[in-house]
């Protein structure tokens, strides 16, 4: 068992609900192993600039339910220079930290790998992003909450769409994957889902979108029609696509870009539990000597996965649900 | 006491949470007075086309909590022609309806007044719109829910704004009034509120917006800065204003247009109670002979107000809160 | 205009959602008038023991949405002795505080009045309690949130009651008034409401409760039946009443005691706005020389009311809704 | 591939959020395969009494988000007699139904097995219960929502517990398993969890409960202390235990029995997705000839499991989290 006396932790990249629950779990578990924890502010910036505070169990007592991150997050352009990772590593060395835990997405993990070039301690990643686009874990911290936030919004839009018998196009986040769109689309009973896995559309390429609308309206007398769409799937986004649909079929289609509300909010149970589990597991694995790995959960079991491989985008959205949506709901 | 045997009810214009609670109350109260109720579908369209269904207490048993409207709503261009109101009145006469209740905003009340020219029965309006821009009632049905929906979204944006120390510009509905923007802005602790009552901005006219941002960022070390803005207050809306702010101060300002989610959702308690009270009151006032009036609530007391006057926009947003926001929060 | 340099604030009695929004508003408004604020911990206990902290705008930056109270609350038995109020006054004098703001219910205001016997500064009360049983203000801070919390629970119970066609008896808080029970009962479409204003029942006195149940079940084929009940309305509470109903009619009636969840939660918009308004108003009125008054809101206008009179229980629950529930919904 | 022309579906036992989403998915998927669906009312009662309605896609259009069950549920004592299952089978035969889908818990599956003795068609079960105590599926339909409902309540209790520095004992459902208690306890950051897997307590056996409270209060200065407890873990339940704790340590411990609100509410995303997936999968598996199996999901993959084995209680609550709670959080 490796001796670990002091560790650092930071949150990096887009914030995600559950990051605070993860910080809490790390601090509590570390305390149970007599390990000191310092938290760096604003992601890698705090590491480079030496901006940190000691984290005692007292500090994390009632943060499990808070959205955002008490450590703040930030993009850190300096990490893309040669000097950035070196400076970060230097802070870790000077502070005599035995390990660093990075909570973030694959971009943040790249930063962690760059620091590892200059640092003698251990580094582990924890998957914290609403987008769920990280390999080596079934779900990322924040993904479950983002689905329910999107769902809540779509349910509300359904109310008004249904009252008016209207067509709505709801644009969700997801960077370049359809995880949120498929999950929120299935869960909301959306009539149609547009996501990268089904192909990115070209401007004016409306056939595949319009045909099912017309079928549904004419044949099935649907009183409202909701299309859930991942970002980056149509040039100009949902606003452009809604305008094009309206023009093509002569029925008004309204766009709604959900935006950053998907990042906030109190984490749902699933995210708090996942965050707690992975935080605890990461600390324990540090004691077991783990390095350059990500702590994830696969098939309900905590496990390690090479940090390097976490960004390879091998993880697939549920093929069963994708097919069902195509064949049954989108008919 | 007037003899009322059968009445019609419809929901018109933008739907609002609580419309179903209002329909339920009308039906239950009417039943207690042995009055039959028929509900017309799709606003005035159903009235013109004779599209209706009988509403028994059984039909409204569990609708008090539902968003949208079970009667459907719609704009009705025919009502702006000469033939529309005549056709609507004809339906009422032929069906031997003693009165019509119209749940909607001031546009819907104009329609009701036009019908009254050709109809011998009584007509009352009930204020149902999230915008609260109807005179003669302190609050409209749907307004309280829209505030809480907007608030919930802004709270979420605060989480991520705070985690990233960012500036956000949140655009809310409100047609040409700042009711929702001021209420949701005060309630969310927004640093700045832009609403028609404080003046509509011209393109590039950024001084009044930017100065408080710079004060707050520099002097007070605020970790996030949220501007709540009513629609129609800047050319190009919040997207244009956010871009202009970003350019002017060199710190990224992100726009979030909340859109139609503000219309949906299960009504909060205040809206269900108001809707229940006004629905019951309207039926009772029909029995008292009321005609061409709106049933509103002023100082917690149900009361009547001339339908004609409901759209004069005399109602002011709370001057105390407006001043406080300007002097204290927006400092 | 009185010169006010430093003031103290405390939260006392049962906590209520919106207390933090009120503290924030007091601190921000005071800062705008160059007034220092100190917050005492644990209600009057902190005042007696000199347990306090300075409150700067920075400290209240993001607390507007938090339930509970950052100053903590507590009952304070010492305030019922002769020494307690004297010790409290002594702290105020020694700290050279020009005024004290007490956020709480009528019990807390009695404590404030007792302190005033020994204190030369000004004292104002702010109504913070979910029960709404304070005269001189249409609503207390926390009441609107408690209604919506209760409503959310009853909506959920309706789901399962309806699925099973069951009778449920939901017991809500309210000390000795029916404000929460009537509002949540009307808003949830409860079939029956039992509250002190309609009379406290004796053990076994079931006729008035059972008759409408039997009518509804037999005559109207209701698929579920929900009774909302204020606490202290039946010996042994809802558990005893549910058992007695079950025995009397042979259909299972289940009790659900909502309890302390009604005290917590993020305040809804109405409570945050009221808290903000009253906090700002109280600080301004201190400058105007106000003393031994409560800052309340009547007919949407902030106003002062003698602190002494706040506990006289003259405020009535809405007679219109009470009558409607009795005649129409409870038929 | 078996020829399936008409199938029956029913919901049985305690209702669970997501049952409607499951019914919807069954109807939509069946329609895509030209299979007719009839829904029986009130669980097995509707089957015995021939109380049913045809379910078309139109009927399930907007039910995915509704709590409860549109088919109603009920216990059915007749199923424990010899005649009950026979009568149920007879209805199926007479109506020429090729298969029956039963959504419920292990008790409902026993009923399904009894019917199979007298019925020549296929029978499949779908796990619908908040308790998650069904083998052969990682989660049951309704479990995820029940966790978040409980969590929401505990978060609220934390607000008031924290404001008052109090001890609360929250009793959750779970029949004879700790799934909900452990998940909601971990997710809420409860200081202590009492569940059957850790042993049922005898009256007065308080040592294991009290010791960690005293440690936490004295040593760690916790401002509130929450114990989450599964039902049936102490004689007299949480009310008795809270009283005994209060007596033993001289600090007030309050009980809160969450009760039936855990059964209701709009299903969260996870439950709607699971319900949709299992409903679709069950229909497809009928076509593949499946019989006397349960459609579950294991490791994110839909799969079949012998209906007979579903009630063997082999499924374990997460041992990692259980240990962590014991060693770290409950320290």
């Amino acid at each position: 068992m490796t001796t670990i006396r002091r560790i650092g932790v930071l949150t990096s990249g887009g914030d995600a609900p559950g990051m605070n629950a993860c910080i809490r779990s790390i601090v509590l578990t570390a305390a149970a192993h007599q390990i000191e924890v310092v938290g760096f502010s604003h992601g890698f910036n705090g590491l480079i600039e030496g901006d940190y505070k000691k984290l005692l169990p007292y500090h994390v007592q009632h943060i499990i339910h808070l959205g955002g991150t008490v450590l703040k997050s930030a993009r850190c352009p300096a990490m893309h220079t040669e000097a950035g990772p070196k400076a970060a590593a230097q802070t870790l060395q000077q502070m005599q930290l035995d390990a660093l835990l990075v909570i973030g997405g694959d971009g943040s993990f790249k930063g962690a790998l760059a620091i590892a070039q200059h640092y003698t301690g251990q580094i582990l990643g924890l998957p914290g992003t609403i987008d769920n686009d990280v390999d080596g874990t079934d779900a990322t911290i924040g993904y479950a909450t983002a689905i329910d936030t999107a769902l809540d919004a779509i349910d509300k839009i359904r109310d008004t769409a249904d009252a008016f018998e209207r067509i709505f196009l709801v644009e969700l986040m997801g960077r370049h994957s359809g995880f949120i769109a498929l999950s929120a689309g299935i869960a909301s009973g959306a009539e149609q889902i547009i996501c990268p896995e089904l192909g990115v559309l070209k401007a004016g390429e409306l056939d595949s979108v319009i045909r099912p609308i017309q079928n549904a309206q004419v044949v099935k007398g649907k009183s409202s029609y909701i299309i859930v769409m991942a970002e980056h799937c149509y040039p100009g986004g949902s606003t452009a696509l809604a305008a094009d649909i309206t023009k093509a079929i002569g029925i008004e289609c309204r766009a709604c870009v959900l935006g950053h509300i998907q990042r906030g909010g109190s984490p749902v149970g699933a995210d708090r539990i996942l965050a707690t589990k992975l935080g605890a597991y990461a600390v324990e694995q540090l004691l077991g000597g783990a390095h350059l790995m990500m702590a994830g959960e696969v098939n309900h079991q905590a496990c390690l996965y090479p940090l390097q491989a976490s960004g390879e985008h091998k993880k697939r959205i549920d093929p069963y649900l994708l097919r069902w949506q195509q064949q049954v709901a989108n008919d």
Side-chain angles (χ1 to χ4, degrees), chain A residues 25-49:
Chain A
S25 175
I26 289 168
V27 172
L28 294 187
T29 310
H33 289 95
Q34 282 79 45
I35 299 170
E36 278 181 37
V37 183
V38 295
F40 293 96
S41 297
H42 304 104
F44 292 115
N45 298 290
L47 196 49
I48 292 174
E49 297 158 19

Side-chain angles (χ1 to χ4, degrees), chain A residues 10 12 40 43-50 76-94 100 102 107-121 123 292:
Chain A
L10 60 83
S12 165
F40 293 96
F44 292 115
N45 298 290
L47 196 49
I48 292 174
E49 297 158 19
C76 179
M79 285 299 286
H80 299 288
T81 67
E82 222 185 287
K86 273 191 197 169
Q90 208 170 2
T91 303
L92 293 168
Q93 298 288 17
Q94 282 173 350
L100 175 68
V102 173
S108 307
F109 296 163
K110 283 200 180 61
L113 289 166
I115 291 170
Q117 306 288 329
H118 313 283
Y119 173 49
T120 56
I123 292 184
L292 298 183

Side-chain angles (χ1 to χ4, degrees), chain A residues 36-157:
Chain A
E36 278 181 37
V37 183
V38 295
F40 293 96
S41 297
H42 304 104
F44 292 115
N45 298 290
L47 196 49
I48 292 174
E49 297 158 19
D51 179 8
Y52 66 93
K53 54 184 168 192
K54 211 169 153 175
L55 293 177
L56 297 173
Y58 171 83
H59 296 115
V60 298
Q61 209 164 72
H62 294 144
I63 66 168
I64 196 170
H65 62 300
L66 300 179
T69 154
V70 294
L71 291 179
K72 310 289 177 188
S73 190
R75 312 279 171 204
C76 179
M79 285 299 286
H80 299 288
T81 67
E82 222 185 287
K86 273 191 197 169
Q90 208 170 2
T91 303
L92 293 168
Q93 298 288 17
Q94 282 173 350
M95 290 180 66
Q96 297 188 298
L97 293 172
D98 300 309
L100 175 68
L101 298 179
V102 173
I103 309 172
D106 62 352
S108 307
F109 296 163
K110 283 200 180 61
L113 289 166
I115 291 170
Q117 306 288 329
H118 313 283
Y119 173 49
T120 56
Q122 293 162 252
I123 292 184
L124 292 184
L126 293 117
T129 163
I130 62 164
D131 299 317
N132 198 27
D133 59 342
V134 174
D135 291 327
T137 190
D138 293 337
T140 54
I141 297 165
Y143 173 51
T145 304
I147 293 171
D148 279 334
T149 299
L151 186 53
D152 185 57
I154 306 173
D155 280 355
K156 286 189 167 69
I157 288 169

Side-chain angles (χ1 to χ4, degrees), chain A residues 131-198:
Chain A
D131 299 317
N132 198 27
D133 59 342
V134 174
D135 291 327
T137 190
D138 293 337
T140 54
I141 297 165
Y143 173 51
T145 304
I147 293 171
D148 279 334
T149 299
L151 186 53
D152 185 57
I154 306 173
D155 280 355
K156 286 189 167 69
I157 288 169
R158 177 70 77 184
D159 281 341
T160 191
D162 209 38
F164 255 78
E165 310 204 336
R166 265 177 177 157
I167 306 174
F168 271 90
L169 178 59
V170 186
E171 181 177 328
L172 303 182
M173 285 185 163
R175 293 216 304 184
H176 300 286
S177 79
F179 285 106
I180 296 176
L182 181 66
S183 291
I186 291 283
S188 63
E191 275 75 13
Q192 191 174 148
I193 296 174
I194 300 173
C195 63
E197 288 79 0
L198 293 171

